[in-house]
Amino acid sequence: MQPDISARPLRVTVWNEGRHEKEDEPVAKRYPEGIHGAVAAGIEENLGAAAVVRTATLDEPEHGLTEAVLKDTDVLTWWGHKAHGAVDDAIVERVAQRVLEGMGLVVLHSGHFSKIFRRLLGTTCSLRWRSEHDRELVWTINPSHPIAAGVPSPIIIPEQEMYGEFFDIPTPDELVFISSFSGGEVFRSGCCYTRGRGRIFYFRPGHETHPTYHHPDVRRVIANAVAWAGCTSPTQS
Amino acid sequence: MQPDISARPLRVTVWNEGRHEKEDEPVAKRYPEGIHGAVAAGIEENLGAAAVVRTATLDEPEHGLTEAVLKDTDVLTWWGHKAHGAVDDAIVERVAQRVLEGMGLVVLHSGHFSKIFRRLLGTTCSLRWRSEHDRELVWTINPSHPIAAGVPSPIIIPEQEMYGEFFDIPTPDELVFISSFSGGEVFRSGCCYTRGRGRIFYFRPGHETHPTYHHPDVRRVIANAVAWAGCTSPTQS
Amino acid sequence: MQPDISARPLRVTVWNEGRHEKEDEPVAKRYPEGIHGAVAAGIEENLGAAAVVRTATLDEPEHGLTEAVLKDTDVLTWWGHKAHGAVDDAIVERVAQRVLEGMGLVVLHSGHFSKIFRRLLGTTCSLRWRSEHDRELVWTINPSHPIAAGVPSPIIIPEQEMYGEFFDIPTPDELVFISSFSGGEVFRSGCCYTRGRGRIFYFRPGHETHPTYHHPDVRRVIANAVAWAGCTSPTQS
Amino acid sequence: MQPDISARPLRVTVWNEGRHEKEDEPVAKRYPEGIHGAVAAGIEENLGAAAVVRTATLDEPEHGLTEAVLKDTDVLTWWGHKAHGAVDDAIVERVAQRVLEGMGLVVLHSGHFSKIFRRLLGTTCSLRWRSEHDRELVWTINPSHPIAAGVPSPIIIPEQEMYGEFFDIPTPDELVFISSFSGGEVFRSGCCYTRGRGRIFYFRPGHETHPTYHHPDVRRVIANAVAWAGCTSPTQS
């Protein structure tokens, strides 16, 4: 219902570390197009013509995040896990500057420990975790927030890695979701921030050993988050 | 850039006490269509076909806010000043329930003391004031917020009633604007809240003795606020 | 470590509906001094000479909340459940005014539906609930907050009524605790607000059918909350 | 009125760049004990035996901020201006880790551009400024906050450097003061954050060319902020 103040589609870049898919056969089978492929497909199926999606991965030159690519990106999504340290500091700083200028950033799951997330938030971003077979329930606590649109409360994810509090992050500007796990742990799993002129959303679900990025509700939330994070760009110029 | 998730235009009801215009000739001259007429025109000129605007005033039956009208309203704007006490408590409660269910509410200027604003916020909503010839500067402190889109920082309003801190409101969920006045006073002049499923925006500028609602930047902010407050409705059904 | 800026002890009034204890024998056995007696004892054992505690109940004249008592109270705690409707509106308003002037208010468990809590917050304060034999885990998400001092994370409460999201409250100014229950539900169970000059804390645990107010960690949190809510009074005069 | 839960005085380290005092005679005359000397005296005169204050400056070995000193510090105050770049990155990181572990940090005036402040907040921390003869008025917008205790609203500072919005910081967890200047600019001049387990307060007033740190209200606010920021330490061990 918000008036469409720009006819231009949102330019989205889906970034993925992309190492598990190369080195771990079950992951490769679960995500034959890579985790980035699944994330990109989820955004496309939900936003349709309102978004143009490309992907980039760690092992491309400049990790696929050249000045030109970032300049042409309204929202960047970020998935990384075991190779956070391999991301070049200069490129982290380049991404950080673009966020502060107004580019949206959607950080997924183990991206909580990425250099870019910690650079922008300033805290350790540490948490409890357990890689067993927990069931995750994702509860909406802000039902009119646009990122929660169209998903049930709770979203039920049958098997997941557990993340638990204390999650060492700044108090979110808006908290949208809280998860619980089979062990009784809780986690702030949908967190909105504005930093500089850019919007940041952290969304917890998703692990390379589970088919989370094929889950329709998870895909819907990521697409909603991309739309939300991209909402500010027209005011930048 | 946010995808337009509904083709339906936003249904806006502009509410006005409407007494000054009847009883005070300079106000009648300044606002020949009433303050509601000026506010409605500002929304229409900014949102165009994305909004359908009607008006309602205190002296209509049920103050023009029947169950049917409210059910057909996505966002209500509110201007009142000298007749807050004449608003029927049952209708205040009716409006409050609709906000909690998801209707947006944009409260203007002296509406800070309206029954509906105090009912929803819970505090006294008192403030300092002085009706002289202050110049108001409205500074944007959240430049990527959609309500600040398209207006300069500061917005310059040559003559205004002064409102000063301490403004006895709950800490806003988001603070968008801070004003200063010729006397050096400051005021939180653009405040966002979510209450229940409804979004509320308070915007300070505007007084019956000044042509504020003809000011293009003020009209733009009110229209932006209407779009923002109406953004949640599609998720309600 | 905060310097003790006043030698005067904190004046605390523990308010209780007090009906279950009269009408329901198991409750009377569980709380032989009333729920108010248990809450008062918990505050005294934790704050010692730093607090002077009295109690008041619904069936006393003016519910024990005369002008004189309120004037002599720095922090009021509130427990009610089945007789919210029996609390006189004029006394609710009297309490509300005192909170807005600077008196602290600690609302416990089923007090979420009390008139005073809804009056000050403005929302419905509704929630999901189930009265079975859930285990509650109360996780600290703000470990340096003074209200979380000295308690483990999680606090383990073996048997409890379940409260679940969506809890229809304004976004807390500070969120200190999140609970989970055996059924996988989550709940914002420790919520700080400032309204006017008064501090409000809502704390979820506690039900007349469980011995929650004898639990040492629950008592510690309530005492911490009383100290926190009373922290502002010296600046009022 | 908050019970004094520790008899141990607060250990405060007042840090100062200390270059203007050496290189600029009017500054040396205005602050014969250095800016750090004036800040330390203001804390001592307000907190008395509740605090033990030491100082440290840029040109000492390790900038006076050895592991031992930081370990023995509950709250660190920071003033820097023209030599931010001379602060060693490793020591910035050492201070950041201590804040995340629970040490309080009070950042003064031009410290907004210090490495430590930007490291912990993540944004550019840029602002408008003008070094003329502005009068600053510091208005309290959170009158029951302990940092505002005992000072008038507004605090009047006859001559000051001007800082204006947009101040590129994360939305403060609590906003206590807003300043206005002779030119009509506004500024969020008292900002609370929690990062990790540490509390951070930014306070705007103060410039080497004005006697701001001799102003009794400014000294009171800094002392209040030190007490507030040190309030969490007892829960760390």
Side-chain angles (χ1 to χ4, degrees), chain D residues 151-173:
Chain D
V151 295
S153 181
I155 300 172
I156 301 171
I157 306 179
E159 269 195 60
Q160 274 288 10
E161 187 180 33
M162 181 281 289
Y163 280 7
E165 297 281 349
F166 173 62
F167 184 21
D168 182 19
I169 49 172
T171 296
D173 294 339

Side-chain angles (χ1 to χ4, degrees), chain A residues 9 12 14 27 40 55 83 87 97 110 136 149 161 168 177 208 222 226:
Chain A
V12 183
V14 171
V27 178
T55 62
V87 180
Q97 291 308 318
S110 44
E136 177 176 8
E161 187 179 32
D168 182 18
F177 301 114
E208 72 279 0
I222 295 171
V226 164

Side-chain angles (χ1 to χ4, degrees), chain A residues 128 135 137 139-143 153-154 165-167 171 173 175 178-188, chain C residues 128 135 137 139-143 153-154 165-167 171 173 175 178-188:
Chain A
R128 294 170 194 243
R135 177 197 62 175
L137 301 179
W139 299 88
T140 296
I141 65 155
N142 194 334
S153 180
E165 297 282 347
F166 173 61
F167 183 21
T171 296
D173 294 337
L175 181 59
I178 296 174
S179 290
S180 72
F181 296 87
S182 304
E185 294 87 357
V186 300
F187 194 76
R188 288 170 288 173
Chain C
R128 293 170 194 242
R135 176 198 62 175
L137 301 178
W139 299 88
T140 296
I141 64 156
N142 194 335
S153 181
E165 297 281 349
F166 173 61
F167 184 21
T171 296
D173 294 339
L175 181 60
I178 296 174
S179 290
S180 71
F181 296 86
S182 305
E185 294 86 357
V186 299
F187 194 75
R188 287 169 289 172

